[in-house]
Amino acid sequence: METTDIHVAVLPYDYYADRPNDTMGLARTAAIIESIRAEATNAMLVDNGDFLQGNPMGDWIAYERGMKEGDVHPVVKAMNVLGYDCSTLGNHEFNYGLDFMFKVLAGASFPFVCANLTKGQLAASARDDDLYMAPYVIVPKTVKDGSGGEHQVNVGLIGFVPPQIMVWDSRHLTGNANTRDIVEAATAWVPQMKEEGADIVVALSHSGIDSNRTERMENASLFLAGVEGIDAVFTGHQHLVFPGKSYEGIDGVDAGKGTLMGKPAVMGGFWGSHLGLIDLLIERDGNAWKVVSATTEARPIYERVDGKNRPLVESVAAVEESVKDEHEATLAYVRAPVGETSA
Ligand code: MN
Ligand code: MG
């Protein structure tokens, strides 16, 4: 399961309009997460980045309340309730600077991975890069088979950020970081994951889908899927839905089935609008595991009927509760007068 581009939309509430909005909210996506956990024997949950900036709750924390040592950011509080297995970083995680970002990450009860963000200059070879984050994690996941037997599958999760953060957040990052081409980083690190025993390799790609391969490309998920050893790709960043019509007619993309270069892939909209789901059927293959078949789906939290948005799920109370105080404070923040005019 993937959430992506949450942008601090924990609640189904539009702070700019100051009213509820049924098209958004991780608290709603959480209801789909719960139902999938109930229906699937084995499940994992990842976030694909861009969780930290994008609405007044995020701005209120960054510009008004701040992050003291030990504070937990509201979006991370909500994510901790949901029990993520892993997350990668999106470009917007860098908007408030590196110090702020690392204070936020420290509050998470799950690991972050990013294979193409370096502290200094790029090394001659990607595997010698001095990275800020772990490039990947290998999670030993106990799974149940069809007849109830238990097995351990080592699930490798590797993350990527668009290299363009060096331009978009140059005031924070120039002299403090560098980024490597996504496909180049994957080509270097995935073989090491396999050497370390990853049975299945899943990419957390905060990057969209584009048909033209260019150096340091922003939306590299199609070509990332072509890297040998990668079994599935979670995408994001473009705030679109995959499988879906937006991506029809691109070479290497099956926009109906939800594959990139034949590998299962998904993009779960934005602000919690969809849960991205990749369902892998895996089979023992000697000492390893292989993916036999896969289906992908972006499951929406609302539908559009007669020009109106109708929710398909109710909010999960525990997620709503986790940000209750910050929600109230954000309402006070957006409702505060900024000035007066007689005209
Ligand atoms: Mn985004
Ligand atoms: Mg993004």
Side-chain angles (χ1 to χ4, degrees), residues 4-7 49-50 91-92 206 236-239 270-271:
T4 189
D5 297 272
I6 293 296
H7 289 282
D50 273 10
N91 49 297
H92 284 289
H206 186 85
H237 183 56
Q238 285 175 318
H239 292 205
F270 63 105
W271 301 351

Side-chain angles (χ1 to χ4, degrees), residues 85-226:
D85 290 282
C86 190
S87 175
T88 191
L89 303 176
N91 49 297
H92 284 289
E93 269 62 85
F94 299 86
N95 290 166
Y96 303 122
L98 284 168
D99 286 350
F100 182 86
M101 182 184 85
F102 280 110
K103 277 184 193 155
V104 172
L105 303 190
S109 58
F110 49 88
F112 292 88
V113 289
C114 187
N116 65 328
L117 174 70
T118 66
K119 290 178 183 170
Q121 292 302 309
L122 301 185
S125 151
R127 273 162 73 157
D128 295 325
D129 278 346
D130 186 12
L131 299 174
Y132 265 109
M133 323 288 302
Y136 58 82
V137 290
I138 297 175
V139 181
K141 172 82 179 166
T142 302
V143 299
K144 265 196 186 141
D145 66 25
S147 44
E150 290 194 342
H151 308 269
Q152 185 181 303
V153 178
N154 295 322
V155 182
L157 303 163
I158 181 166
F160 306 96
V161 70
Q164 286 69 21
I165 59 171
M166 294 308 301
V167 179
W168 299 330
D169 272 311
S170 63
R171 74 194 174 104
H172 295 305
L173 297 180
T174 300
N176 296 317
N178 274 293
T179 50
R180 187 180 281 278
D181 178 80
I182 290 173
V183 178
E184 193 183 297
T187 305
W189 290 107
V190 170
Q192 179 165 314
M193 298 171 76
K194 299 303 284 185
E195 284 161 30
E196 277 182 32
D199 295 308
I200 304 289
V201 173
V202 178
L204 278 54
S205 173
H206 186 85
S207 181
I209 301 161
D210 186 347
S211 56
N212 300 313
R213 174 76 175 114
T214 53
E215 185 65 18
R216 293 171 60 78
M217 70 189 291
E218 178 182 345
N219 294 304
S221 293
L222 174 59
F223 300 96
L224 176 64

Side-chain angles (χ1 to χ4, degrees), residues 19 22 52 67 86 107 149 156 173 187 208 242 264 312 343:
R19 62 168 175 250
D22 290 322
L52 189 49
M67 284 287 299
C86 190
L173 297 180
T187 305
F242 185 80
L312 292 166

Side-chain angles (χ1 to χ4, degrees), residues 20 155 230 291 324:
V155 182
I230 290 182
V291 175
K324 192 172 177 294

